[in-house]
């Protein structure tokens, strides 16, 4: 089975959005460079709705590009799915998406897309690993990501830390409780207005 990596952009104080789900400046580094994230071009990854093409610094591209290319499946919560309408059936990375939700997929919603709705985080990781094979399973941070970490199902934690303090909002680890130890960061990459960090979860 592939590695399960919990991954999102976060503020220095550990928030992935404010209380109204506004990401503010957290994603600005996706547009402040001159290197596209794919060899084919950058428009396919533009899910911002801004019409801007995603281009990052060279340091960020060298880190993010192979990470995104390694992803086979994404696990996300229903709240994020509803916010972005499931990226209109075109996830930013990987071929499959598993949505943790007690509600089924909206009727008639992009039937061609490989999106699977399950109501349990353990089942979600199992389904995602089945779909991804040997490739990475990427877990979006937030409430669902925190639940998956608490269940002992996350192998690595990756954070793209942006130099801004939110003070309050949606936490990277959701409402997780208890102590969870990580190893020393095995990846530290300084981009332009972002610091890429990756930690293995201590077993």
């Amino acid at each position: 089975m592939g590695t399960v990596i919990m991954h999102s952009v976060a503020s220095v104080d550990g928030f992935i959005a404010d209380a109204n789900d506004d990401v503010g400046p957290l994603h600005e580094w996706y547009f402040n460079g001159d290197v596209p994230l794919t060899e084919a071009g950058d428009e396919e990854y533009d899910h911002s709705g801004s019409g801007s093409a995603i281009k990052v610094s060279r340091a960020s591209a060298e880190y993010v590009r192979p990470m995104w290319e390694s992803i086979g499946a994404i696990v996300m919560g229903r709240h994020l799915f509803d916010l972005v309408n499931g990226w209109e059936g075109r996830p930013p990375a990987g071929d499959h998406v598993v949505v943790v939700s007690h509600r089924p997929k909206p009727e008639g919603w992009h039937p061609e897309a490989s999106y699977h709705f399950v109501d349990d985080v353990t089942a979600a990781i199992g389904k995602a690993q089945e779909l991804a094979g040997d490739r990475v399973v990427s877990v979006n941070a937030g409430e669902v990501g925190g639940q998956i970490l608490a269940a002992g199902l996350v192998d690595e934690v990756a954070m793209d830390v942006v130099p801004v303090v939110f003070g309050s909002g949606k936490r990277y680890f959701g409402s997780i409780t208890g102590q969870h130890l990580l190893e020393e960061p095995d990846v530290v990459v300084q981009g332009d207005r972002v610091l890429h960090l990756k930690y293995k979860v201590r077993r």
Side-chain angles (χ1 to χ4, degrees):
M1 292 295 180
T3 304
V4 177
I5 302 178
M6 183 175 172
H7 182 212
S8 281
V9 182
S11 65
V12 170
D13 54 343
F15 294 98
I16 56 176
D18 68 15
N20 297 316
D21 295 307
D22 188 345
V23 298
L26 289 181
H27 292 177
E28 288 178 0
W29 64 274
Y30 280 121
F31 307 99
N32 68 3
D34 54 10
V35 181
L37 281 181
T38 66
E39 298 293 346
D42 41 30
E43 286 78 7
E44 72 176 281
Y45 284 128
D46 179 19
H47 297 277
S48 66
S50 67
S52 300
I54 292 183
K55 291 186 178 181
V56 298
S57 69
R58 181 159 302 280
S60 288
E62 290 174 354
Y63 167 73
V64 175
R65 184 184 290 159
M67 175 182 277
W68 282 19
E69 289 174 349
S70 73
I71 293 170
I74 291 175
V75 177
M76 68 191 305
R78 183 59 181 257
H79 183 67
L80 178 58
F81 174 86
D82 288 342
L83 275 177
V84 300
N85 195 29
W87 302 298
E88 299 298 342
R90 295 172 57 243
D95 302 314
H96 313 280
V97 175
V98 178
V99 182
V100 180
S101 176
H102 295 295
R103 291 177 285 136
K105 180 162 61 174
E107 188 173 350
W109 184 88
H110 294 286
E112 77 290 350
S114 180
Y115 279 57
H116 309 265
F117 286 62
V118 299
D119 62 3
D120 174 80
V121 294
T122 302
I125 292 298
K127 183 65 176 178
Q129 288 183 318
E130 173 192 327
L131 293 165
D134 293 333
R135 300 179 72 195
V136 166
V137 171
S138 177
V139 175
N140 283 107
E143 287 297 332
V144 165
Q147 292 171 28
I148 293 171
L149 177 68
L153 301 172
V154 173
D155 299 310
E156 299 179 9
V157 171
M159 305 177 79
D160 301 320
V161 182
V162 173
V164 60
V165 175
F166 272 28
S168 63
K170 304 298 176 70
R171 295 186 179 279
Y172 181 96
F173 293 102
S175 54
I176 190 174
T177 58
Q179 189 178 86
H180 301 269
L181 293 177
L182 308 177
E183 301 293 349
E184 294 298 314
D186 58 338
V187 174
V188 180
V189 176
Q190 183 176 339
D192 185 358
R193 299 293 295 171
V194 62
L195 181 65
H196 306 288
L197 301 170
K198 189 186 286 185
Y199 307 80
K200 288 182 171 60
V201 176
R202 183 173 292 182
R203 301 299 190 192

